[in-house]
Amino acid sequence: MFILLMSLAAPASLAQQAPELGPDVDTPSLDDLHSLPENEEDETGGKVVADGTDQDQKALDELFEKLGGAETPEQALAIGQKIQAKWLESGSDTVDALMSRAAAALRANKYGLALDLLDVVVTLKPDFAEGWNRRATVYYVQQDFGRSLADIERTLALEPRHWGALSGLAIIQRRIGEDDKALTTFRRALEINPGLKNAKEAVDEMEKEAEGDAI
């Protein structure tokens, strides 16, 4: 499929099935992923639309370089928000409007409506990574982990540095008992964005569990 996901040991076959969870696993929640920026709805109205030029890519690369060198969580958060804003720049007014409506539907727990809207997004703009990532989020909260993983693969194929998709992949891997893979994926997400509090907490917890098992 693509090199990054294979390097994280997520088999393609996993994305084609819905793993069964044990009875003690908590119900998935949108809060698990923190996929929706708090101010997203405000940004969609008057933001500058990216045109996909080399200059846009250079600006994004520079932001990622700054993010990797962030010295404080506050710095990482501020830079990360700028990157997320750029990820939302589809270059299409129609897609932007659909994404905004899908975000509102997600927040209102109207998952069927969100899926309908995002199906159109990925059809109209198949090279728009955030469309696939957002649909993966909907599938996740619906516990349709097979389809969520498939959309995560598409997201990372388009944007290998998408720490939200990596975090989602790690969370699913952990939920289905693939802790070694989850730990590797969480670490990869932290390499890209060292300000991911939830990923840091997950890594610390899993490393302690591994140390306890080794004793």
Side-chain angles (χ1 to χ4, degrees):
M1 190 64 166
F2 58 94
I3 295 174
L4 175 62
L5 200 55
M6 290 181 66
S7 69
L8 294 173
S13 60
L14 187 58
Q16 306 305 320
Q17 58 187 356
E20 295 184 1
L21 303 181
D24 298 329
V25 178
D26 295 335
T27 301
S29 166
L30 189 60
D31 294 335
D32 296 343
L33 304 180
H34 299 281
S35 181
L36 302 180
E38 291 295 329
N39 58 347
E40 177 183 352
E41 290 182 350
D42 295 334
E43 290 176 353
T44 55
K47 65 177 185 291
V48 176
V49 176
D51 57 12
T53 64
D54 291 341
Q55 187 174 357
D56 293 323
Q57 187 60 49
K58 181 179 179 181
L60 191 59
D61 291 342
E62 289 175 352
L63 283 172
F64 271 106
E65 185 175 350
K66 292 179 180 179
L67 179 61
E71 297 180 355
T72 67
E74 292 76 18
Q75 287 181 353
L77 177 62
I79 299 168
Q81 288 175 338
K82 292 180 180 179
I83 293 173
Q84 286 180 311
K86 283 192 170 295
W87 280 343
L88 285 167
E89 295 171 357
S90 71
S92 163
D93 290 341
T94 299
V95 170
D96 289 347
L98 290 167
M99 287 289 288
S100 181
R101 290 181 59 195
L106 257 174
R107 290 190 175 96
N109 300 328
K110 298 178 179 179
Y111 303 132
L113 174 59
L115 273 181
D116 288 342
L117 294 166
L118 292 169
D119 285 346
V120 178
V121 166
V122 299
T123 299
L124 291 177
K125 198 79 174 179
D127 60 346
F128 180 43
E130 193 57 31
W132 296 103
N133 179 63
R134 197 58 58 85
R135 198 174 72 168
T137 300
V138 181
Y139 284 137
Y140 170 78
V141 296
Q142 289 187 317
Q143 301 190 55
D144 191 341
F145 299 117
R147 287 190 173 91
S148 184
L149 285 167
D151 279 2
I152 287 172
E153 288 184 351
R154 295 296 296 267
T155 303
L156 292 173
L158 293 164
E159 175 50 271
R161 301 169 296 187
H162 200 300
W163 65 79
L166 286 168
S167 295
L169 172 61
I171 289 170
I172 293 176
Q173 287 171 332
R174 191 178 186 188
R175 291 179 70 89
I176 63 177
E178 297 182 341
D179 289 352
D180 290 343
K181 295 177 184 178
L183 184 56
T184 298
T185 309
F186 274 130
R187 286 171 174 164
R188 172 58 181 155
L190 283 169
E191 287 176 3
I192 298 168
N193 185 350
L196 295 174
K197 182 180 178 181
N198 286 0
K200 181 66 166 62
E201 290 175 350
V203 167
D204 290 343
E205 181 180 338
M206 295 175 76
E207 287 179 343
K208 289 179 180 178
E209 291 175 353
E211 290 175 0
D213 293 340
I215 297 175

